[in-house]
Amino acid sequence: MKPKIAVSACLMGINCKYNGGNNYNQKVIDLSEKYELVPICPEQSGGLKIPRLPAEIKSDRVFLKDGTDVTEQFLKGAEISLKTALDNNCHKAVLKARSPSCGSNGIYNGNFDKTVIMRDGITAELFKRNNITVYTEEELKGLL
Ligand code: SF4
């Protein structure tokens, strides 16, 4: 049986991205030769609609571009995604770079000006605190 890894659903081609599209990545799909891919989308799981406005983290809250506070939805989605990962015995995850949920070691700064700061998204941070190793789609070498 292949080991399971949690994967941002948008990287697998599922249309759960804020704009209704996806971030399909063939290299991520190719991981299915070695792993069983378990899709997660914290923002959808947290109850946010598709499409939705983009969101960024400012201090310890998460806001849509129009200023709506969506921190609770992000926290709920992170918990649901963590449960999915743990229930499936995932020790690793491939999460979308720079997302306020899924980004690891780099997300946007909260000003919607495309500036990246060294910080984790809400779900990536929760995964790491629960000993799940997080990779982005830009650093898959450790999984091959
Ligand atoms: Fe993709 Fe994560 Fe955003 Fe969902 S929350 S659309 S999985 S980056």
Side-chain angles (χ1 to χ4, degrees), residues 8-10 16-18 23 40-43 52 96 99 101-102:
S8 291
C10 59
C16 51
K17 195 176 162 180
Y18 73 90
N23 297 304
I40 56 139
C41 177
E43 292 175 30
R52 55 189 173 277
K96 175 75 186 77
S99 154
S101 289
C102 295

Side-chain angles (χ1 to χ4, degrees), residues 30-83:
D30 288 346
L31 291 172
S32 59
E33 289 173 18
K34 195 169 165 188
Y35 301 93
E36 186 176 331
L37 310 186
V38 177
I40 56 139
C41 177
E43 292 175 30
Q44 190 177 7
S45 297
L48 293 171
K49 293 185 183 133
I50 305 167
R52 55 189 173 277
L53 290 172
E56 293 192 5
I57 300 175
K58 186 87 172 172
S59 298
D60 288 325
R61 309 295 296 178
V62 192
F63 299 97
L64 297 180
K65 200 170 182 180
D66 68 359
T68 306
D69 188 326
V70 287
T71 309
E72 295 312 313
Q73 290 94 323
F74 269 66
L75 292 173
K76 180 182 171 191
E79 291 290 348
I80 291 170
S81 299
L82 176 66
K83 184 173 186 323

